[in-house]
Amino acid sequence: MFQPYELFVGLRYTRAKRRNHFISFISLISILGIALGVTALITVTSVMNGFEEEMTTRIVGASSHATVTGADAPLVDWQPLAEATRRNPEVIGAAPYAEGQAMLAMGARSTGALIRGVLPEVEGEVSELEDRLERGPPLAEALRPREFGVVLGADLAAYLGAVVGDKVMLITPKASVTPLGFTPRVKRFLVTGVFRFGMFQFDRNLAVVHADDAAALFGLGKGGFTGLRLKLADTARAPIVSRELRDTLGFDWFVSDWTRQNANYFAAVKMEKTMMFIILSMIVAVAAFNIVSTLVMLVQDKQGDIAILRTQGASPSSVLGIFIVQGTLIGVLGTAAGLLGGIALASNIDVVVPFVERFTGPVLNPEVYYIDEMPSDLRWPDVTKVGLMSFVLALLATIYPAWRASRTDPAAALAYE
């Protein structure tokens, strides 16, 4: 089978036992460096993808894809508005809500919380609350109008020390006028259930009551709501659908979506992904620089061989090709090993992290990262991008040493042979 002699000689140099073992050691370090960088880059990229995907799923599961609120007054008759939003084919669910900030207290402990009033019979259209109940009866039984039941987030209940059947004090900033002056509204609520979304932001700060109870607490009037929550067929199109609804409903209504409500968070995640990619790419670049030093020393070691090839008729471009083959082979081996290692590690992160946590303790603090498990989402376009970047860096690193080899003067190289 025909084989270009540049490829044959380049592979022969790579397989041959070198007199200078230091060069072989540096070559091995270059391969390991590229492999380590590619493995780290694929793993971290997959974890960041998984983190973003997991957070998105939990955010839209606990909150809503989009909300519609009035400009300056509570929403009283919500059904016509819901029908108007459903005319958009991408709106698949609508439910009213009443929301406000309050303080929950039990015994010596108290904490601020977001109080959300819902209608249990339609809440399932826009959220996963029913499926996330850990303790207590179904939502329709747990939250009955004017019975003042409350369903707490798991971490919020744990902080207060509350279990199903306990009573908690709910204090709202909406003041009542009494002969003694202005006093906050205080009402005892019976804990009827506990939910867990697996996201600290909601499990620690959210309490759910019946919409009628919330309207009374926050002074929204009988049958009053803060607005309407919507569920969309495709969460990624939430900004587009929100603009369409804004144009349809007019300026009397304010439409927001989950990307705007969490814009700062997702902007921070995007910036972090970009910076992590750049920083970890430097590991691959440093390993590629090792290829430069390896080939420079190899060219110096093979001066006599290069001169003999030149005297036998090899052109400078042929010598250039021989050393490019060697450097490229180092890059290919390192990239291939890194891709295999990165794919294996990213695919088994759910096994690796618990093993590491046996020695280090929990890796993720849910109070900081909102979730308590390490997700991973391996995406083949990312793997391809990392592999191509590593290969191109290794190829670029071979150009200068190979060019120096092609410039070797045969007479000067053989003068002392």
Side-chain angles (χ1 to χ4, degrees):
M1 182 177 179
F2 175 75
Q3 185 181 43
Y5 83 88
E6 294 90 349
L7 179 62
F8 174 80
V9 175
L11 294 176
R12 179 79 177 179
Y13 274 175
T14 305
R15 294 194 302 266
K17 294 183 179 179
R18 298 185 180 126
R19 297 187 299 266
N20 193 333
H21 294 289
F22 182 70
I23 298 177
S24 300
F25 176 74
I26 295 298
S27 299
L28 179 61
I29 292 298
S30 300
I31 293 173
L32 292 178
I34 293 174
L36 179 62
V38 171
T39 298
L41 197 49
I42 291 176
T43 304
V44 171
T45 302
S46 299
V47 169
M48 294 297 295
N49 290 337
F51 185 82
E52 184 177 21
E53 182 68 23
E54 188 70 19
M55 289 292 292
T56 299
T57 301
R58 298 189 184 191
I59 285 173
V60 299
S63 54
S64 57
H65 299 175
T67 58
V68 181
T69 55
D72 55 2
L75 172 64
V76 178
D77 192 10
W78 66 273
Q79 287 89 348
L81 180 62
E83 289 300 323
T85 60
R86 284 195 179 96
R87 294 192 187 103
N88 188 306
E90 297 193 62
V91 177
I92 59 176
Y97 74 102
E99 200 169 78
Q101 296 288 337
M103 178 174 288
L104 290 174
M106 179 177 173
R109 292 202 167 188
S110 61
T111 182
L114 176 66
I115 310 300
R116 178 180 296 162
V118 302
L119 293 179
E121 58 272 20
V122 295
E123 180 63 15
E125 293 187 20
V126 296
S127 80
E128 301 173 359
L129 180 60
E130 184 78 54
D131 299 329
R132 300 293 183 172
L133 289 174
E134 277 193 341
R135 294 185 290 277
L139 199 62
E141 298 179 21
L143 301 179
R144 298 180 185 274
R146 299 301 179 180
E147 291 189 5
F148 299 99
V150 60
V151 179
L152 302 177
D155 292 321
L156 178 58
Y159 176 80
L160 294 172
V163 297
V164 175
D166 287 342
K167 289 189 175 182
V168 296
M169 191 79 71
L170 195 151
I171 307 167
T172 69
K174 186 73 174 180
S176 299
V177 180
T178 69
L180 300 177
F182 290 94
T183 60
R185 293 184 179 180
V186 180
K187 183 65 182 178
R188 285 187 180 275
F189 275 73
L190 177 68
V191 178
T192 54
V194 175
F195 65 83
R196 184 186 296 277
F197 281 100
M199 186 172 178
F200 187 80
Q201 177 182 353
F202 297 107
D203 294 342
R204 175 61 178 82
N205 299 308
L206 181 61
V208 181
V209 301
H210 195 278
D212 289 352
D213 300 338
L217 285 170
F218 299 119
L220 299 177
K222 185 177 180 179
F225 298 95
T226 303
L228 200 65
R229 300 166 67 208
L230 306 177
K231 185 175 183 179
L232 308 180
D234 185 1
T235 57
R237 286 180 50 82
I240 298 173
V241 178
S242 295
R243 286 196 296 269
E244 293 175 353
L245 290 174
R246 198 175 300 120
D247 294 338
T248 302
L249 298 176
F251 294 102
D252 292 335
W253 302 99
F254 177 74
V255 184
S256 181
D257 63 85
W258 67 273
T259 60
R260 294 184 62 184
Q261 295 162 3
N262 302 275
N264 291 337
Y265 165 74
F266 286 104
V269 170
K270 183 178 180 180
M271 182 183 68
E272 186 175 356
K273 285 176 63 177
T274 303
M275 293 306 300
M276 289 299 293
F277 188 89
I278 293 173
I279 292 170
L280 292 175
S281 296
M282 292 180 182
I283 298 177
V284 182
V286 169
F289 290 148
N290 285 337
I291 296 177
V292 176
S293 60
T294 300
L295 292 184
V296 166
M297 289 187 290
L298 183 61
V299 168
Q300 191 65 31
D301 188 55
K302 298 293 186 180
Q303 287 285 320
D305 294 355
I306 296 170
I308 292 172
L309 286 172
R310 290 296 308 279
T311 58
Q312 291 180 344
S315 65
S317 60
S318 296
V319 176
L320 181 78
I322 289 171
F323 287 94
I324 285 180
V325 167
Q326 285 190 278
T328 302
L329 183 60
I330 293 174
V332 168
L333 291 175
T335 300
L339 290 175
L340 292 175
I343 292 170
L345 185 57
S347 301
N348 295 279
I349 201 74
D350 56 336
V351 177
V352 175
V353 171
F355 176 77
V356 173
E357 288 181 334
R358 294 179 185 177
F359 306 97
T360 63
V363 174
L364 292 180
N365 182 353
E367 296 185 14
V368 178
Y369 299 101
Y370 300 116
I371 60 176
D372 56 3
E373 58 185 16
M374 185 80 75
S376 178
D377 182 12
L378 181 65
R379 299 176 184 175
W380 292 109
D382 290 335
V383 174
T384 303
K385 180 172 65 175
V386 171
L388 287 176
M389 181 202 68
S390 174
F391 176 75
V392 169
L393 286 175
L395 184 62
L396 292 176
T398 66
I399 293 177
Y400 173 72
W403 176 79
R404 280 195 56 181
S406 68
R407 303 285 293 176
T408 299
D409 182 5
L414 295 173
Y416 299 101
E417 292 291 332

